[in-house]
């Protein structure tokens, strides 16, 4: 992995860092010099992210948390700051889907997706805002989705949460910028993960026909975007959304 300026010695927190896109982000940041706090639903799951970081030659610690628990978010951030002296990067990556046509969608389906994908990002950003502002240095990266841009049948709850992240990103970029904290978003397209492997061949083929680059994305495609936005290479970038979808949303 090449080293981007600005990641060496920085401290990052990645929610949902145990698999898929999250684990690729953890490995990429660790491989480029950041110390990474891997947050997942259990310490065992978070350990998978730690293993990825160590395999990339970096340093990481595991933290168990329900990302919807704002008190736990504050607790984890406090422990990271105490252990490593601060926090420079937050990647709000944790997310879930509860796909269903709206007429059949339960209140629980709506609340779980909104709380995990949207409200949690606010809670974790609020938790890191104080140490970041005090240091006058920070980068928050919200992992959204092109579903938030273009919509998707059966995913109105997910689309609402992911579209909400765009508004959160722009608002907090304006709110925190004067204190040296940048806030950006990434909108991944169809990325090849464990979840997409379970999709039918017909659906994958139909999706490929909509992608000008004619391939599914790889988790590291997203991780490279995160590393850029987290680094000093993006020192004048805030309030923006980086779409990484192979052209699918064109």
């Amino acid at each position: 992995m090449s080293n981007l300026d600005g990641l060496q010695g920085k401290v990052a927190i990645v929610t949902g860092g145990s698999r898929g896109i999250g684990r690729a982000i953890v490995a990429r940041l660790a491989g480029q010099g950041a110390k990474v706090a891997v947050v997942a639903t259990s310490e065992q799951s978070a350990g998978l992210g730690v293993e990825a970081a160590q395999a990339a030659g970096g340093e990481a610690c595991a933290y168990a948390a329900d990302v919807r628990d704002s008190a736990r978010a504050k607790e984890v951030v406090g422990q990271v700051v105490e252990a490593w002296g601060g926090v420079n990067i937050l990647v709000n990556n944790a997310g879930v889907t509860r796909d269903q046509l709206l007429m059949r969608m339960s209140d629980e389906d709506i609340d779980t997706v909104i709380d995990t994908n949207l409200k949690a990002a606010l809670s974790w950003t609020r938790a890191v805002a104080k140490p970041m502002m005090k240091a006058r240095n920070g980068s928050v990266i919200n992992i959204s989705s092109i579903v938030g841009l273009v919509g998707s049948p059966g995913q109105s709850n997910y689309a609402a949460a992911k579209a909400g992240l765009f508004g959160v990103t722009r608002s907090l970029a304006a709110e925190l910028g004067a204190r040296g904290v940048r806030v950006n978003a990434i909108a991944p397209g169809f990325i090849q993960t464990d979840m997409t492997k379970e999709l039918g061949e017909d659906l994958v083929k139909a999706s490929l026909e909509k992608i000008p680059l004619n391939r599914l994305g790889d988790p590291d495609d997203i991780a490279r975007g995160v590393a850029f936005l987290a680094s000093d290479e993006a020192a004048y970038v805030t309030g923006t959304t980086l779409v990484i979808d192979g052209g699918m949303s064109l």
Side-chain angles (χ1 to χ4, degrees):
M1 295 183 183
S2 62
N3 233 327
L4 286 175
D5 291 342
L7 290 188
Q8 193 67 41
K10 289 197 173 183
V11 175
I13 297 174
V14 180
T15 66
S18 64
R19 60 192 179 96
I21 291 173
R23 187 162 61 189
I25 292 169
V26 168
R28 173 65 56 172
L29 297 181
Q32 294 183 183
K35 297 177 181 178
V36 185
V38 182
V39 178
T41 52
S42 70
E43 194 164 326
Q44 183 178 8
S45 294
L48 298 174
V50 172
E51 289 174 5
Q54 292 171 342
E59 181 179 351
C61 284
Y63 292 88
D66 180 341
V67 293
R68 298 172 294 178
D69 184 344
S70 61
R72 179 59 178 155
K74 186 175 180 180
E75 187 176 52
V76 169
V77 170
Q79 291 172 354
V80 170
V81 170
E82 184 177 355
W84 284 333
V87 57
N88 311 101
I89 302 160
L90 169 67
V91 184
N92 286 310
N93 170 73
V96 296
T97 56
R98 295 288 185 273
D99 295 351
Q100 185 59 268
L101 296 176
L102 181 61
M103 299 301 291
R104 300 174 183 170
M105 191 177 290
S106 68
D107 287 346
E108 183 181 1
D109 290 336
I110 295 171
D111 291 343
T112 297
V113 171
I114 297 293
D115 289 351
T116 305
N117 295 275
L118 180 58
K119 284 182 66 178
L122 287 166
S123 296
W124 285 82
T125 304
R126 182 174 60 189
V128 301
K130 187 174 180 179
M132 283 186 176
M133 288 191 297
K134 185 177 180 180
R136 291 189 170 272
N137 177 275
S139 176
V140 176
I141 301 159
N142 297 315
I143 305 301
S144 183
S145 170
I146 62 164
V147 172
L149 288 171
V150 303
S152 177
Q155 289 192 302
S156 56
N157 51 356
Y158 186 74
K162 292 302 189 178
L165 284 176
F166 300 139
V168 166
T169 296
R170 292 179 66 84
S171 296
L172 291 181
E175 186 174 319
L176 302 176
R179 300 299 295 272
V181 180
R182 298 180 295 108
V183 186
N184 292 289
I186 289 180
F190 203 147
I191 307 301
Q192 201 159 15
T193 63
D194 291 340
M195 286 193 295
T196 59
K197 287 177 183 177
E198 297 173 3
L199 300 175
E201 187 177 333
D202 290 344
L203 179 57
V204 173
K205 184 178 179 181
S207 298
L208 280 171
E209 291 175 354
K210 300 176 183 178
I211 302 174
L213 292 185
N214 199 35
R215 70 171 177 88
L216 299 184
D218 184 85
D220 203 47
D221 290 320
I222 309 306
R224 284 192 291 269
V226 169
F228 166 68
L229 290 174
S231 77
D232 291 345
E233 296 289 315
Y236 202 55
V237 180
T238 195
T240 194
T241 296
L242 177 60
V243 178
I244 305 177
D245 69 348
M248 188 176 185
S249 59
L250 294 174

